[in-house]
Amino acid sequence: LFAAITASLDLSQICRTACRIAKEQLAVDHSGFVLFNDDLKSGTVLAEFPDLGSQKGTHIPIPGVPAEEALLTSPEPLIILNTAEAEELGPVRQIVLDLGITSMMMVPVIGRDGKPLGSFSVDSLIQGGTTFSQEQIGFCKILAAHIAGAVQNARHYALAQMKGAEEQALRLATVAIARKLNRTVLLQRILVEAIALLKARSGGLYRYDPLHQSLEIVASVPNDALVTSTIAAGEGIAGMLVLDTSRRHFIWDDYQTWSNKPRQLLNIPFEAVIEVKLLAASETLGVLYIEDKLGRRFTEHEAELLYSFAEAATITLLNADLIENEQEMKHRLELLLRTNESIS
């Protein structure tokens, strides 16, 4: 019976199968599944059986809703015999009433590490509601344990898939910049690849001058007007980052509200920003920034991904500098040789 749940690695399918089993085995009218977000401050209706309409994807608040908070602290199912009078449901009560649910049992789904993963409900739609037997409660607990294992397996699989895709994207981005030896072309290509890697909308590169304690934007995509803009160390996120030896990156959800935003950038509509250092042997060479629309929340994981790319970009830039210097030296020697020949 439960093999249908654990056989899948698709989270939506797992939850819908669980709802179908609960509905059919307990002879109730409906079952729904809410998946909690990692911060345990909200959840999302991920599946239901049968489909009653438009509730899939509905946001479910947790803090301030006694019934939902109880699912975080107790492994026991919560039974509500009259949803119309259940104040413990808070704003969730209207969602339940819109579905025509008159009574329900909410069952916590708890992972192997003890962390709540979500909850499923078995619901009655008949007038006057219904009660739930000890046999039904016991079955729901067993079902919840199988769901928990399947959900965790699906999440681990999804993370592995995502990690694999990110590693492939990082490798391709690194390869894409490896052969760009012209510095101007290389700078543009680094930004194009970094923006694509984080699926953002713009980016830029600061070059840090420790002697003058300043940063100059040497490349930006797509806004070339920013190039040659200079800020002092300590100004803005980039300026703060180069002076902070304890940090490699910084994330800000809305740069428009940054109190220390440089005057040179006041009219630039930067919103969600993530910035990482370009380091060589612990020496800060510059800062790579990526920007996206308001509402985007860059994560620590994305910061690590961008920093890994920045490490490869730094090596490529240093190699390009060496080649350019070698070519410049060769050019000067050729000039000297021609000059000597002319004198002779």
Side-chain angles (χ1 to χ4, degrees):
L1 177 63
F2 299 123
I5 297 175
T6 55
S8 176
L9 289 171
D10 181 271
L11 200 52
S12 295
Q13 184 178 337
I14 289 169
C15 297
R16 181 171 173 79
T17 300
C19 291
R20 177 181 59 78
I21 290 174
K23 191 268 182 190
E24 293 174 351
Q25 294 299 313
L26 299 178
V28 293
D29 300 313
H30 176 262
S31 178
F33 189 94
V34 175
L35 185 70
F36 295 158
N37 294 333
D38 288 337
D39 59 9
L40 299 180
K41 293 182 179 179
S42 64
T44 303
V45 178
L46 200 63
E48 61 173 330
F49 189 87
D51 293 327
L52 296 182
S54 60
Q55 297 306 315
K56 187 175 178 181
T58 299
H59 175 79
I60 304 295
I62 295 178
V65 182
E68 297 294 340
E69 290 178 334
L71 298 174
L72 303 183
T73 57
S74 172
E76 294 300 317
L78 177 65
I79 296 175
I80 298 176
L81 297 178
N82 185 353
T83 56
E85 297 180 0
E87 294 184 1
E88 64 268 33
L89 286 173
V92 179
R93 179 169 61 176
Q94 191 57 52
I95 298 173
V96 170
L97 294 177
D98 288 344
L99 290 173
I101 296 173
T102 54
S103 62
M104 63 191 302
M105 174 165 52
M106 303 168 69
V107 185
V109 175
I110 301 171
R112 291 183 286 267
D113 56 358
K115 182 178 180 179
L117 302 175
S119 69
F120 71 93
S121 65
V122 288
D123 314 314
S124 173
L125 305 180
I126 63 174
Q127 191 67 30
T130 188
T131 58
F132 298 95
S133 67
Q134 288 300 316
E135 289 77 13
Q136 288 176 311
I137 294 172
F139 178 86
C140 284
K141 287 183 176 181
I142 296 172
L143 178 58
H146 282 83
I147 295 172
V151 167
Q152 287 187 311
N153 288 340
R155 281 184 163 178
H156 291 157
Y157 176 76
L159 286 173
Q161 291 289 95
M162 183 178 70
K163 183 178 180 181
E166 286 178 346
E167 288 177 349
Q168 175 70 352
L170 179 60
R171 186 185 69 81
L172 292 175
T174 302
V175 169
I177 65 175
R179 297 189 179 94
K180 306 295 182 182
L181 299 180
N182 178 278
R183 188 176 181 84
T184 301
V185 175
L186 175 59
L187 290 172
Q188 291 292 312
R189 191 64 189 178
I190 286 172
L191 292 178
V192 168
E193 295 297 333
I195 292 167
L197 188 63
L198 265 60
K199 298 180 176 61
R201 69 179 178 184
S202 71
L205 268 167
Y206 285 96
R207 180 172 56 199
Y208 178 50
D209 181 352
L211 180 63
H212 298 93
Q213 289 284 286
S214 64
L215 295 103
E216 178 187 6
I217 298 180
V218 293
S220 63
V221 172
N223 193 350
D224 289 334
L226 288 175
V227 176
T228 72
S229 295
T230 302
I231 64 173
E235 277 191 311
I237 292 176
M240 181 197 71
L241 194 56
V242 296
L243 295 182
D244 190 340
T245 57
S246 65
R247 303 186 69 145
R248 300 190 309 187
H249 71 270
F250 195 91
I251 297 171
W252 194 259
D253 293 334
D254 183 9
Y255 199 39
Q256 300 288 31
T257 65
W258 180 257
S259 59
N260 196 28
K261 187 176 182 181
R263 55 179 177 77
Q264 300 91 322
L265 305 179
L266 288 177
N267 296 324
I268 306 300
F270 283 169
E271 294 177 334
V273 176
I274 180 171
E275 307 199 10
V276 299
K277 287 180 181 177
L278 299 177
L279 293 171
S282 300
E283 180 182 344
T284 301
L285 303 182
V287 173
L288 167 63
Y289 72 82
I290 298 296
E291 184 269 345
D292 208 349
K293 60 183 179 298
L294 190 64
R296 170 76 181 266
R297 293 183 179 275
F298 290 108
T299 65
E300 293 294 318
H301 177 73
E302 288 174 317
E304 289 301 319
L305 183 65
L306 184 61
Y307 183 76
S308 295
F309 175 74
E311 286 183 312
T314 301
I315 293 171
T316 306
L317 282 169
L318 290 173
N319 286 337
D321 286 343
L322 287 173
I323 291 171
E324 284 190 0
N325 290 337
E326 183 180 338
Q327 290 174 341
E328 177 65 20
M329 184 179 295
K330 182 180 178 182
H331 176 66
R332 290 182 180 182
L333 287 172
E334 288 174 347
L335 285 175
L336 179 61
L337 180 60
R338 288 200 295 270
T339 302
N340 286 334
E341 289 175 348
S342 177
I343 292 172
S344 298

